[in-house]
């Protein structure tokens, strides 16, 4: 009986100890619950803040997407402008090459014309020299011609004098024969005319 009481007493002490431990656990649980409640409030506040920040990030993402589309559109426009610039640059390069080719052709033609001009100048100089020689020869020939003309005129003058002399001489003979009464007068006149015609 005593042993039973001891056992019950021991069980009672054990139950008291368990009850104390349970109370301690309950107190700890209350503290933990309060701590978790406080922590939960903080987490909810953090989540609310994160949601607000997420909404802000989403709004920023939408703005960034719109900005990206705008940049893509501007980039496409810039690429088109660049393509046009490149095309114009190619056209300018092609025109420049064409002008360079024409300039080279013009330079070659100019060199040919320059050579032809130099050749023509040399020919002109030769012609001028020949012209000077011909002018000198012409002047010399003209002087000779003038001298020859003077000689011809002198010869003609001498011939005229000789003819006149012969006429005078024929007339004199005729007159002398007429005075002497020799020969027939008409025959003498005819003879005189014949001599005159031959003289002419």
């Amino acid at each position: 009986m005593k042993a039973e009481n001891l056992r019950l007493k021991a069980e009672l002490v054990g139950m008291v100890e368990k009850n104390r431990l349970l109370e301690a656990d309950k107190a700890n649980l209350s503290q933990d619950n309060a701590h978790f409640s406080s922590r939960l409030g903080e987490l909810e506040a953090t989540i609310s803040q994160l949601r607000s920040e997420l909404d802000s990030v989403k709004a920023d993402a939408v703005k960034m997407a719109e900005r990206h589309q705008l940049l893509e559109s501007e980039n496409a426009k810039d690429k088109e402008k660049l393509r046009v610039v490149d095309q114009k640059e190619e056209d300018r390069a092609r025109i420049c090459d064409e002008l360079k080719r024409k300039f080279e052709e013009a330079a070659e033609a100019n060199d040919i014309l320059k050579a032809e001009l130099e050749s023509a100048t040399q020919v002109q100089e030769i012609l001028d020299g020949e012209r000077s020689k011909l002018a000198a020869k012409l002047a010399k020939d003209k002087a000779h011609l003038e001298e020859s003309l003077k000689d011809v005129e002198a010869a003609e003058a001498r011939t005229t004098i000789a003819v006149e002399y012969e006429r005078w001489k024929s007339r004199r003979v005729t007159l002398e024969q007429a005075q002497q009464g020799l020969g027939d007068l008409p025959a003498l006149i005819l003879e005189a005319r014949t001599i005159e015609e031959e003289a002419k």
Side-chain angles (χ1 to χ4, degrees):
M1 186 71 174
K2 186 176 180 180
E4 185 66 22
N5 288 334
L6 289 174
R7 185 179 64 78
L8 290 173
K9 186 177 180 181
E11 287 180 359
L12 182 59
V13 170
M15 290 178 66
V16 171
E17 184 62 24
K18 287 181 180 180
N19 188 35
R20 187 181 63 78
L21 291 173
L22 289 172
E23 288 294 333
D25 291 338
K26 184 178 180 181
N28 289 331
L29 287 173
S30 296
Q31 291 178 357
D32 291 339
N33 189 24
H35 176 70
F36 286 141
S37 297
S38 175
R39 183 60 178 166
L40 181 61
E42 292 176 359
L43 289 174
E44 288 177 350
T46 301
I47 290 171
S48 177
Q49 183 179 357
L50 290 174
R51 284 178 178 172
S52 176
E53 292 177 357
L54 181 60
D55 293 338
S56 177
V57 169
K58 287 181 178 179
D60 291 339
V62 171
K63 291 180 181 179
M64 289 180 66
E66 293 175 353
R67 179 64 177 170
H68 180 70
Q69 291 178 353
L70 180 61
L71 290 175
E72 286 291 334
S73 176
E74 292 178 354
N75 187 30
K77 292 179 181 179
D78 291 338
K79 286 182 178 179
E80 180 63 21
K81 290 179 181 178
L82 182 61
R83 187 190 66 77
V84 173
V85 170
D86 290 339
Q87 184 65 38
K88 289 182 179 180
E89 187 67 24
E90 291 177 359
D91 293 339
R92 289 192 188 97
R94 179 177 54 78
I95 293 172
C96 183
D97 292 339
E98 183 69 17
L99 291 175
K100 184 178 179 182
R101 183 182 62 79
K102 290 182 178 179
F103 176 76
E104 291 175 352
E105 291 177 355
E108 292 177 358
N110 185 51
D111 292 338
I112 294 172
L113 290 175
K114 186 176 180 181
E116 291 178 353
L117 179 62
E118 291 177 356
S119 178
T121 302
Q122 293 176 357
V123 171
Q124 185 64 38
E125 291 175 354
I126 294 172
L127 290 175
D128 290 340
E130 293 295 327
R131 187 180 291 110
S132 298
K133 292 179 181 178
L134 289 174
K137 185 176 180 182
L138 182 60
K140 186 176 180 181
D141 292 342
K142 185 178 180 181
H144 290 165
L145 183 60
E146 289 176 353
E147 291 178 1
S148 299
L149 183 60
K150 289 179 181 178
D151 293 339
V152 170
E153 289 176 351
E156 288 180 351
R158 287 194 297 270
T159 302
T160 301
I161 292 171
V163 169
E164 292 295 330
Y165 175 73
E166 289 296 329
R167 285 179 182 175
W168 174 80
K169 185 177 178 182
S170 175
R171 288 174 184 170
R172 182 180 176 185
V173 170
T174 302
L175 288 174
E176 288 177 352
Q177 288 178 354
Q179 289 175 358
Q180 294 175 1
L182 299 174
D184 188 4
L185 184 60
L188 292 174
I189 293 172
L190 181 60
E191 184 181 355
R193 288 180 178 175
T194 300
I195 293 171
E196 186 178 358
E197 289 296 329
E198 289 177 356
K200 290 181 179 181

